Amino acid sequence: MLKVGLTGGIGAGKSEVSRLLVERGAVLIDADRIAREVVAPGTAGLAAVVEAFGADVLTADGSLDRPKLGAIVFADPERLAVLNSIVHPLVGARSRALESAAAEDAVVVHDVPLLTENGLAALYDVVVVVDASPQTQLDRLVRLRGMTEDDARARMAVQATREKRLEIADIVIANDVPLEDLRQRVADVWDELVRRARASHPPQGRPGASQE
């Protein structure tokens, strides 16, 4: 098994890269998706969030009001740290369970937005960073996600700098490019990941067979 940590700044296009890797055969463990699951209605995670932030962060149907909670934590690093202390251990436990269920020769891609910020690079055999300029990130957040420019800048500001992400990268996927160029780059990266996976898990010969 090859454990790959995939990360990138908000708006860099990491989700598109993860989708393309899945098309190639990767087993995807999506930290964002798991983070939603662990605070779904009825979970211990949601109860802990409500205890820390109050019932005002719930919608009328009892689910988490993510925009309201986001507005609170992204404007206050201390409140963000409280939220992370609740969610991150739950996400880690679920991620480990999913990883253990993957095949021995799988390329397992952990899509982890805050990999750099939380110092998690050592957990993976390979760290892949999806990189885009801050200008590209801002444009995508405003144009494609409908954020205000101020909100987009605030989200970007609480993440690691571009330079910090690149420092931990084993492989960089530049994504200031058209989709077809990105698709080709991901194909090349996939070939490299498969090569590394095979090198770390060589096929076993038949008992008694000669090795040449």
Side-chain angles (χ1 to χ4, degrees):
M1 179 185 297
L2 186 74
K3 295 188 288 186
V4 179
L6 176 69
T7 195
I10 186 171
K14 178 174 51 60
S15 295
E16 184 65 23
V17 169
S18 67
R19 184 185 69 80
L20 292 171
L21 287 170
V22 169
E23 283 185 0
R24 294 276 168 175
V27 175
L28 179 64
I29 298 177
D30 186 334
D32 267 353
R33 183 178 302 170
I34 296 171
R36 287 176 170 81
E37 293 174 357
V38 299
V39 292
T43 62
L46 182 59
V49 169
V50 171
E51 183 177 353
F53 293 92
D56 285 346
V57 297
L58 296 178
T59 63
D61 65 4
S63 59
L64 185 62
D65 189 330
R66 298 182 69 86
K68 181 176 287 188
L69 181 59
I72 294 170
V73 300
F74 287 112
D76 186 337
E78 291 185 2
R79 302 291 275 166
L80 179 60
V82 170
L83 179 63
N84 288 342
S85 72
I86 296 169
V87 175
H88 287 174
L90 298 172
V91 172
R94 178 59 178 156
S95 296
R96 289 189 293 273
L98 292 172
E99 182 183 276
S100 68
E104 289 186 2
D105 60 349
V107 175
V108 179
V109 175
H110 291 261
D111 183 334
V112 186
L114 299 180
L115 189 154
T116 308
E117 291 82 349
N118 293 324
L120 303 177
L123 297 179
Y124 307 102
D125 301 312
V126 182
V127 173
V128 177
V129 171
V130 183
D131 180 56
S133 70
Q135 293 79 10
T136 296
Q137 292 176 258
L138 184 62
D139 173 69
R140 288 172 178 161
L141 294 175
V142 172
R143 181 169 51 86
L144 301 179
R145 298 199 194 180
M147 292 184 184
T148 66
E149 185 170 327
D150 286 345
D151 190 22
R153 290 185 184 278
R155 297 294 181 99
M156 292 168 62
V158 298
Q159 293 190 326
T161 64
R162 185 183 191 184
E163 291 73 22
K164 288 293 186 182
R165 282 191 294 271
L166 294 176
E167 282 178 9
I168 66 165
D170 297 301
I171 297 173
V172 177
I173 297 178
N175 193 22
D176 289 301
V177 297
L179 180 58
E180 283 310 307
D181 292 347
L182 178 64
R183 188 182 298 276
Q184 182 56 55
R185 174 59 176 150
V186 171
D188 293 341
V189 168
W190 174 252
D191 290 344
E192 171 63 14
L193 296 176
V194 169
R195 184 192 67 76
R196 294 191 188 203
R198 289 174 177 167
S200 65
H201 189 76
Q204 300 298 313
R206 299 188 309 277
S210 62
Q211 301 296 315
E212 300 181 358

